[in-house]
């Protein structure tokens, strides 16, 4: 029997909420919203509280026309909490927690950083809670990023599947991602240190269904990049389940897609969504800068 792609009719909950200091404009039915009326350099506490609420509600939010430098980017990120650990880079000069995400026009690669469905640094004991990306230079076409709502995906599983996976713990590791990059490009994205490499390869075990610490929502914590096994199962037992769940969570009906433009600041909640960067802009330069916020131990 052929697989049937799910259309979660009646399950979409991405309507904008009423706010006093900001405006949210939903991007897609599944998730995502543009936030207008905000300059992150001068945002006050009341507007920031509403922006945070919008982030948790929509899973991903973006703001256009932000004229920020690395210092502004750092200060805004710190309002969400301490910086998260990054295994892949030491950051830019003078701003170690601002990581460049740059592909030069002359670069040709079959696999790029972030070029598969994933949640950031899931192999850490405390994966990032929130990630941000700020765009400086964008190709005239291509280079879009897509996100998938893992809360909606979990909600659309059958009750039987939900009960079956509830007690399971997923092994998150960079070993498969590392091997894929070597196979396709002859080299992988370098780690920031030997310790970071060891941590990423050894990985960590997290709940396959995690609960958001603020909203209480339950979400699938699985992806095609870092989910390599299930605690207590053989590889032959876990592989079909992980393959199914990774494909399920990234169905089109659960996603949104963003067309970047310069001066755009995007934030997403790694605990309740996945994302995927497109590698379709050879011959053009793409320059963005990322920060992450430290998360809690998944529960």
């Amino acid at each position: 029997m052929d697989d049937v792609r799910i259309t979660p009719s009646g399950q979409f909950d991405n309507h904008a909420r009423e706010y006093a200091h900001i405006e949210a404009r939903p991007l897609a039915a599944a998730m995502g919203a543009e936030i207008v009326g905000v300059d992150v350099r001068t945002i006050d506490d009341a507007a920031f509280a509403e922006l945070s609420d919008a982030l948790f509600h929509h899973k991903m939010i973006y703001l256009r026309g932000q004229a920020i430098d690395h210092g502004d980017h750092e200060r805004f990120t710190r309002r969400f909490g301490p910086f998260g650990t990054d295994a892949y880079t030491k950051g830019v000069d003078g701003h170690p927690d601002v990581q460049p995400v740059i592909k030069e026009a002359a670069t040709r690669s079959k696999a790029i950083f972030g070029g598969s469905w994933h949640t950031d640094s899931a192999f850490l004991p405390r994966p990032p809670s929130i990630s941000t990306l700020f765009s400086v230079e964008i190709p005239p076409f291509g280079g879009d990023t897509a996100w998938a709502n893992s809360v909606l995906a979990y909600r659309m599983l059958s009750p039987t599947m939900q009960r079956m996976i509830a007690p399971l713990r997923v092994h998150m590791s960079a070993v498969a991602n590392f091997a894929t990059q070597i196979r396709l490009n002859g080299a992988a994205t370098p780690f920031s240190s030997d310790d970071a490499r060891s941590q990423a390869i050894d990985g960590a075990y997290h709940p396959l269904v995690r609960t958001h610490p603020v909203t209480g929502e339950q979400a699938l914590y699985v992806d095609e990049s870092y989910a390599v096994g299930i605690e207590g199962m053989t590889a032959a037992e876990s592989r079909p389940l992980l393959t199914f769940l990774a494909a399920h969570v990234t169905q089109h009906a659960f996603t949104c897609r963003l067309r970047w433009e310069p001066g755009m600041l995007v934030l997403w909640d790694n605990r309740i969504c996945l994302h995927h960067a497109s590698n379709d802009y050879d011959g053009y330069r793409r320059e963005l800068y990322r920060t992450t916020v430290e998360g809690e131990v998944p529960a």
Side-chain angles (χ1 to χ4, degrees), residues 128-193:
S129 56
I130 295 165
S131 293
T132 84
L133 265 181
F134 178 67
S135 55
V136 174
E137 186 173 353
I138 298 299
F141 57 86
D144 295 359
T145 302
W147 284 263
N149 183 341
S150 55
V151 172
L152 181 59
Y154 172 75
R155 198 159 65 233
M156 294 307 299
L157 290 172
S158 68
T160 299
M161 177 62 80
Q162 291 177 350
R163 288 192 297 270
M164 186 181 77
I165 66 176
L168 301 181
R169 289 169 57 82
V170 61
H171 183 199
M172 294 291 200
S173 165
V175 64
N177 179 267
F178 194 67
T180 297
Q181 290 189 47
I182 292 175
R183 185 176 71 253
L184 294 178
N185 292 335
T189 302
F191 291 99
S192 57
S193 67

Side-chain angles (χ1 to χ4, degrees), residues 211-224:
T211 302
H212 195 278
V214 177
T215 68
E217 292 176 302
Q218 289 188 296
L220 283 173
Y221 198 56
V222 64
D223 64 19
E224 66 183 16

Side-chain angles (χ1 to χ4, degrees), residues 40 48 51 55 60-61 63 68 70 72-80 83 86 97-101 120 128-135 147 260 264-270 275 288-293:
V40 299
F48 181 78
L51 183 143
L55 172 61
M60 180 278 280
I61 58 175
L63 304 89
I68 62 173
H70 294 324
D72 297 323
H73 198 174
E74 287 175 321
R75 285 185 289 274
F76 178 69
T77 303
R78 283 198 202 100
R79 298 188 71 167
F80 291 96
F83 286 112
D86 188 86
D97 295 297
V98 178
Q99 293 100 34
V101 181
D120 283 339
S129 56
I130 295 165
S131 293
T132 84
L133 265 181
F134 178 67
S135 55
W147 284 263
W260 288 92
M264 185 177 282
L265 180 63
V266 179
L267 302 85
W268 66 92
D269 192 328
N270 277 288
H275 60 286
L288 303 97
Y289 292 90
R290 186 183 69 152
T291 62
T292 61
V293 180

